[in-house]
Amino acid sequence: MLRSLFIAAAGSSRLERLVESAPVSKGIARRFVAGSSADEALRVSRGLADDGLAVTLDHLVEDTRTIEQAVTVRDEYVSLLGRLKHSGLTPAAEVSLKLSALGQRIDEKLAREHAHAICAAAAEAGTSVTLDAEDHTTTDATLETLLELRGEFPNTGAVLQAHLRRTEGDCRELSTAGSRVRLCKGAYSEPESVAFQSALDVDKSFVRCLNILMSGEGYPMVATHDPRLIAIGEDRARWFDRSTGEYEFQLLYGVRPDEQARLAAGGHTVRVYLPYGQQWYGYLMRRIAERPAGMGLVAKVVTSRK
Ligand SMILES: Cc1cc2nc3c(=O)[nH]c(=O)nc-3n(C[C@H](O)[C@H](O)[C@H](O)COP(=O)(O)OP(=O)(O)OC[C@H]3O[C@@H](n4cnc5c(N)ncnc54)[C@H](O)[C@@H]3O)c2cc1C
C-alpha cells in the first residue's frame, strides 16, 4: 500500500515541484544520488573507487519524449565516458543506461544507434555499458538490442528481472562465456500473467536464476540488498568455485553502505549503481517506496516548507 503510494508520488508533478524546492530535499537526495552534474558524479565515483568499490553510473532521465531529448542523453553519456577515461576512473567505472532514455519508445532504430554510439565511446574509454531492464513490454526489444550490440561490443551487460516468469529461460540463454548478466528482483509493477506476485515467489525465482548464472559460463552480477539473497550469492560463488573477478555484487548508492564495505572487505568485487542528474525526483521516490520508513523523510520535506 505505502509502496504504491510512493510509486504514484514518483509520477506526480505537483509533489515533484514541492519536494524539489523544499530546503531539506537536496540533503535527502544526496543520500541516493551523486548530484545533478557530471562533475559531482565524477567526484563521488572517485571517493567510491578510493574505498575499493567499482561503479556503474546512471544519468537520470525520467521521460524522453522527443528526438532532441534522446540526442542530449546520448551526448551526455559519450561526454561522461570521455571524462571517466581522462580521470583514470575506467575500467572500474562503467555506465548503465535505459533504452527508453535514448528514445526506444519514439524510434527503436534510433535508440539502437544511440546505444551503439555509447558502447563505442565506452570501448574507447576501456570500459563497458550495461542495458538496464525496464517494464516487461520492452524486454524482447531490449534483449534483441543487447545481442546486436554484443556482436561488436561483447562486454555489454544485460539485466534480467527475477520477478518475470520468463527469466529462468533468459538466464539459460545468456549464460554463455563472457556474458555479463545483472540479476535483480525487478522494480516495475507487472501483471500476474507475466510476473510472480508474492515476495516469496520472487525470491525463489531469484535463487533459481542465480543457480543457473553461477553454474554457467558467464559473469553474474548479483544486484540486491536482501541479506538472505546476498548470503546465498556468497554461498553459490564458493560452491561453484568462482574466484574474485568471476562474479560481482551490485548495490545502489546510499543503500546499505555498511554491507557494501563488508562485501568488499571480504574480497568480493562490489559495484555501486550511482545515479546523477537533474531529474532525481522520480528516482528518489522509488527508492523511498522500497523502504516504507522513508515516509518520515517525505514528511520532513513537506513540514520544512516556509
Ligand atoms: C545495482 C542495481 C541495479 C538495478 N537495476 C535494475 C534494473 O535495471 N531494472 C529493474 O527493474 N530493477 C533494477 N534494480 C532494482 C531491483 O529490481 C529492486 O527493485 C531493488 O533492488 C529492491 O530489491 P532488493 O533485491 O534490494 O530487495 P528488497 O526486498 O526490496 O529489499 C531487501 C532488503 O534490503 C534492504 N533495503 C532495500 N531497499 C532499501 C533502501 N532503499 N534503503 C535501505 N535498505 C534497503 C532492506 O533491508 C530490505 O529488507 C536494480 C537494483 C540494484 C541493486
Side-chain angles (χ1 to χ4, degrees):
M1 161 75 179
L2 268 179
R3 186 166 185 263
S4 342
L5 205 71
F6 279 106
I7 287 175
S12 158
S13 49
R14 262 181 70 195
L15 193 57
E16 178 173 355
R17 282 194 297 278
L18 182 66
V19 173
E20 279 186 348
S21 60
V24 300
S25 293
K26 286 225 158 65
I28 294 167
R30 279 288 149 93
R31 188 181 146 194
F32 297 105
V33 177
S36 50
S37 68
D39 283 344
E40 290 167 299
L42 287 169
R43 189 178 47 74
V44 176
S45 299
R46 165 71 59 209
L48 292 167
D50 290 346
D51 289 340
L53 300 166
V55 172
T56 184
L57 284 137
D58 168 42
H59 175 51
L60 290 169
V61 182
E62 279 300 313
D63 198 8
T64 296
R65 291 178 183 209
T66 65
I67 289 178
E68 291 71 30
Q69 285 171 326
V71 168
T72 307
V73 175
R74 178 200 65 194
D75 293 348
E76 171 68 26
Y77 271 105
V78 169
S79 150
L80 176 71
L81 283 157
R83 295 188 64 190
L84 286 171
K85 181 185 177 188
H86 288 115
S87 310
L89 284 162
T90 54
E94 63 139 36
V95 299
S96 283
L97 58 87
K98 291 183 177 52
L99 290 174
S100 65
L102 296 177
Q104 190 182 42
R105 287 194 193 96
I106 313 163
D107 181 342
E108 204 172 309
K109 187 167 163 279
L110 188 77
R112 283 185 190 201
E113 285 168 16
H114 288 167
H116 184 277
I118 296 168
C119 287
E124 167 65 28
T127 190
S128 51
V129 171
T130 294
L131 298 185
D132 280 350
E134 302 185 63
D135 74 75
H136 81 277
T137 62
T138 63
T139 310
D140 281 328
T142 299
L143 292 180
E144 273 168 35
T145 300
L146 172 89
L147 294 182
E148 195 180 297
L149 291 169
R150 279 187 173 178
E152 203 172 332
F153 310 105
N155 61 1
T156 308
V159 179
L160 298 177
Q161 299 154 311
H163 73 168
L164 293 185
R165 297 179 192 277
R166 60 177 284 168
T167 295
E168 261 184 88
D170 289 333
C171 284
R172 271 187 209 98
E173 293 210 353
L174 289 179
S175 268
T176 50
S179 168
R180 298 170 65 246
V181 180
R182 175 194 301 159
L183 177 66
C184 63
K185 287 188 184 179
Y188 296 79
S189 192
E190 301 283 14
E192 192 173 357
S193 52
V194 298
F196 300 109
Q197 302 293 307
S198 79
L200 180 64
D201 284 340
V202 174
D203 289 358
K204 285 194 212 157
S205 167
F206 194 108
V207 175
R208 289 193 299 273
C209 292
L210 187 63
N211 288 340
I212 296 167
L213 295 176
M214 283 285 189
S215 62
E217 291 182 57
Y219 179 84
M221 306 188 279
V222 186
T224 180
H225 313 105
D226 191 321
R228 266 202 316 169
L229 295 179
I230 290 177
I232 294 171
E234 289 179 279
D235 175 73
R236 295 305 188 269
R238 267 193 307 273
W239 180 259
F240 290 109
D241 244 352
R242 285 182 176 259
S243 46
T244 310
E246 293 181 331
Y247 67 96
E248 67 186 41
F249 286 101
Q250 296 191 345
L251 296 92
L252 302 179
Y253 180 62
V255 180
R256 305 198 67 206
D258 46 348
E259 180 66 358
Q260 297 175 13
R262 184 194 72 81
L263 286 165
H268 303 286
T269 301
V270 179
R271 188 176 300 278
V272 176
Y273 188 102
L274 180 63
Y276 77 97
Q278 287 175 349
Q279 295 176 32
W280 48 264
Y281 167 80
Y283 178 83
L284 180 65
M285 287 297 137
R286 286 193 292 278
R287 292 296 71 79
I288 291 174
E290 281 160 11
R291 194 101 170 124
M295 183 74 145
L297 293 180
V298 169
K300 202 170 156 191
V301 167
V302 174
T303 54
S304 75
R305 300 278 303 165
K306 295 167 244 139

